Every structure is written in C-alpha cells, then in structure tokens.
Amino acid sequence: MRAEAAALRVATYNIHRAIGTDHQRNPARIAGVLGELRADVVGLQEVDWHDEPGRRHAQFEYLARLPGYAAVAGPNLRDPRGHYGNLLLTHLPIRAVRLHNLSLDGREPRGAVDVDLALGAGSLRVIVTHLGLRVGERWRQAWALRRLLLQAPDRPTVLLGDLNDWLPGSPTVRPLLALCASRRHPRTFPSRRPVLALDRILTRALPMPKPPVAHRSATACVASDHLPVVADLPVPD
C-alpha cells in the first residue's frame, strides 16, 4: 500500500481486452493508466488470456507482472486458444481465494473473483465481477452476489465491477445495492464522452466518505472504451 496514504485506494476498470478507442490493442497503455491510478487494489474486467502479437507473454501475464502487484485470475470463458474474464491486482497480501460461477444457460459465461486480503490486524474481502447484458440475467446475478455477501454480513467488503446497469434506480441490481453503501457513481462509458455509469465500487460494513470518481486522463480516454473508477476508503480497524 502507498506509504503516504491515509486511506485504502481501490479501483475498478473494464479494459476491453486492452483494445482502445483507436481500435489498437495495447496492454502497455492499460498499464500506464494503472500507474496513474496508484491504487492498492484494482478489479479488472474483460482481460484476455490470448497471446499478444509481438509480445512474449499473454495479456494476463503482462498485467500480472506489473511491479508491486500480486494477481488473482478469474477466467469466465475457457478456450484451448486462451481464456477471458476478471483479474484482481493487489499490493496487499492474499489470504484466501474463491471463484464463483455466475453463468446462466445460453448466455456469455460470467463469474466473480472473491478474495480475502490482509489489512493491518484484520482482513478485507474484495469481490471483482462483470454482470451480464440482459435484464433477467443481471437480476439473478445480483441475487447470487447478495447471497455471497450475506454469508459474512459484518466483514468489511468491497465489490468492484462492471454491473452493466445504467437505468435510474439501477433496477436490475437493486437486490445487491440494498445491502451496500452506494454513492452517486460517475459516468464511465464510452470513455471519450461518457454517458452511462456502468462501473461501480460498492462497500459493505465499510464506509465510503466520498463518492467514487472517474479517472479521465488523456491515456485513459483512449486505452479502453470504459474509464476506470477510483475511491479512497478508510482502513478498517
């Protein structure tokens, strides 16, 4: 964790397979944005495990080797040519890892990375996810995540995800939001001129003193079709 920080910085970022708004696939730009964020914990969505043309390592390996970070992979789509899904990067020690399947028949595979991180004398639970595109799909996935949260209702928890819900009142993910501290979320999609607040940071048993903000640097506006979202949270006792 950043030595000068009085709070824990967390971020969520749909990297769109590192394909930018210029249609160029460039993981180095994603790494540059992550460097700008200076987050202690980052949840990434749409990470591709296919080999990168002209690079020695696959995209996941490239991001997982960023200095100071440990990585937890949560592939949703598995294919002989490679995998695709969520990725957690963290400066904090990892105590436990759980992978949950949120897939529904006939729809694109979805899942969640569920990790316990050491933080001070205690621990922090972090869940990284990417919900589906259809209304009924998101509703069922939100209920599944709600049940996971209720397994440890008093544990400080941060959920980082692209919830794919942009409607007023967030009706399809309301079962999940009802359990969490939710502040007004910034618009993140499309990154050049964002109009939809798809990407969320939610907390449970952990206050969020200030609303999350979208990171809108020149690099972030071109590196992916989503902007990253960042929040500073108090370190739990």
Side-chain angles (χ1 to χ4, degrees):
M1 188 165 64
R2 295 164 294 127
E4 73 275 14
L8 178 77
R9 176 164 290 182
V10 299
T12 186
Y13 191 14
N14 183 327
I15 69 169
H16 191 50
R17 297 182 174 177
I19 299 172
T21 56
D22 58 358
H23 308 294
Q24 299 299 310
R25 193 176 190 218
N26 189 341
R29 288 192 300 207
I30 299 297
V33 174
L34 295 177
E36 295 171 353
L37 299 179
R38 299 176 66 242
D40 305 300
V41 180
V42 186
L44 301 177
Q45 300 86 33
E46 296 194 16
V47 180
D48 202 341
W49 273 254
H50 290 285
D51 289 337
E52 292 291 335
R55 293 188 183 276
R56 182 178 177 183
H57 301 293
Q59 183 183 114
F60 159 74
E61 292 176 345
Y62 179 83
L63 296 172
R65 291 170 189 250
L66 294 178
Y69 281 112
V72 178
N76 300 326
L77 181 63
R78 298 176 182 270
D79 187 276
R81 298 166 296 175
H83 306 320
Y84 173 75
N86 303 309
L87 174 65
L88 176 103
L89 299 177
T90 178
H91 292 320
L92 304 177
I94 299 168
R95 287 183 169 175
V97 175
R98 299 167 293 272
L99 300 179
H100 305 288
N101 185 1
L102 302 179
S103 303
L104 300 177
D105 290 344
R107 303 302 300 158
E108 180 181 331
R110 303 283 178 173
V113 177
D114 183 359
V115 178
D116 295 335
L117 303 177
L119 184 60
S123 66
L124 177 72
R125 184 183 188 185
V126 178
I127 299 174
V128 181
T129 193
H130 185 187
L131 302 189
L133 296 175
R134 292 190 176 182
V135 170
E137 183 182 8
R138 289 195 299 277
W139 176 264
R140 292 172 66 182
Q141 290 162 346
W143 273 103
L145 290 169
R146 178 187 174 97
R147 288 190 291 271
L148 290 176
L149 291 177
L150 288 173
Q151 291 174 1
D154 298 324
R155 172 184 278 181
T157 301
V158 178
L159 187 144
L160 307 170
D162 178 351
L163 301 190
N164 262 324
D165 191 308
W166 57 92
L167 297 174
S170 302
T172 65
V173 295
R174 192 176 297 142
L176 175 61
L177 299 183
L179 285 183
C180 298
S182 181
R183 301 292 296 265
R184 181 180 178 88
H185 273 74
R187 299 172 181 179
T188 56
F189 180 87
S191 56
R192 286 192 181 274
R193 293 187 177 182
V195 296
L196 303 178
L198 302 182
D199 305 280
R200 311 286 186 96
I201 297 175
L202 308 177
T203 64
R204 181 163 172 81
L206 185 65
M208 186 182 296
K210 296 182 180 180
V213 297
H215 179 75
R216 296 194 65 178
S217 70
T219 304
C221 287
V222 70
S224 170
D225 61 349
H226 289 242
L227 293 174
V229 175
V230 183
D232 290 319
L233 306 174
V235 175
D237 297 329

